[in-house]
Amino acid sequence: MQSPSMQNNRAAKIVYCHCAFAQVIPADVKQGVLERLVASGVDFDGVPDLCEMSARRDPALARLAQSPGVRIAACYPRAVQGLFTAAGSPLPKVGAEIVNMRTATAADAFALLTQPDGVETAEGEK
């Protein structure tokens, strides 16, 4: 069993949305974030499209929403919150962090996903 301090230092679960269908995230940002995640060796879950998953009410969204400290690289935080809510699996009000790849550079998005202290909560507009 890990000590409480070691449990608190555990890396957040990272989810990367490739936005395959709506294609609203700049291609260079999507590709840059994905390349950096792969090259870094950090664990992450890549999903083709959160919008499509929400429309299908994919059970994977419930598992992601229940992941403590989940960090999601996708779109506007309010949109991502809405996708999870529409699928019947709302993200927690505290602890879920969303990095907005529509407005961030690839380098900034990657840094926000992997920094130890996290980013703004899902209500923030990062």
Side-chain angles (χ1 to χ4, degrees):
M1 181 171 191
Q2 293 179 329
S3 70
S5 62
M6 288 182 71
Q7 290 173 347
N8 291 339
N9 290 330
R10 223 184 284 161
K13 179 171 193 67
I14 296 174
V15 178
Y16 165 83
C17 176
H18 198 64
C19 192
F21 299 110
Q23 299 181 9
V24 296
I25 298 170
D28 62 323
V29 174
K30 283 192 309 188
Q31 196 60 36
V33 171
L34 181 58
E35 288 172 0
R36 284 171 171 83
L37 285 170
V38 170
S40 74
V42 301
D43 284 339
F44 72 96
D45 289 334
V47 299
D49 196 284
L50 287 172
C51 294
E52 187 263 344
M53 291 175 75
S54 175
R56 288 188 297 109
R57 297 180 67 91
D58 191 317
L61 292 179
R63 288 189 298 277
L64 295 174
Q66 294 170 0
S67 299
V70 66
R71 293 182 183 170
I72 303 170
C75 192
Y76 291 107
R78 287 178 298 219
V80 175
Q81 283 274 20
L83 292 172
F84 277 82
T85 299
S89 302
L91 289 168
K93 296 285 186 202
V94 176
E97 300 172 350
I98 300 169
V99 175
N100 186 349
M101 293 193 297
R102 286 184 77 172
T103 59
T105 65
D108 289 345
F110 174 76
L112 291 169
L113 286 170
T114 57
Q115 70 182 350
D117 295 328
V119 296
E120 289 186 15
T121 63
E123 290 82 25
E125 287 297 320
K126 279 205 171 183

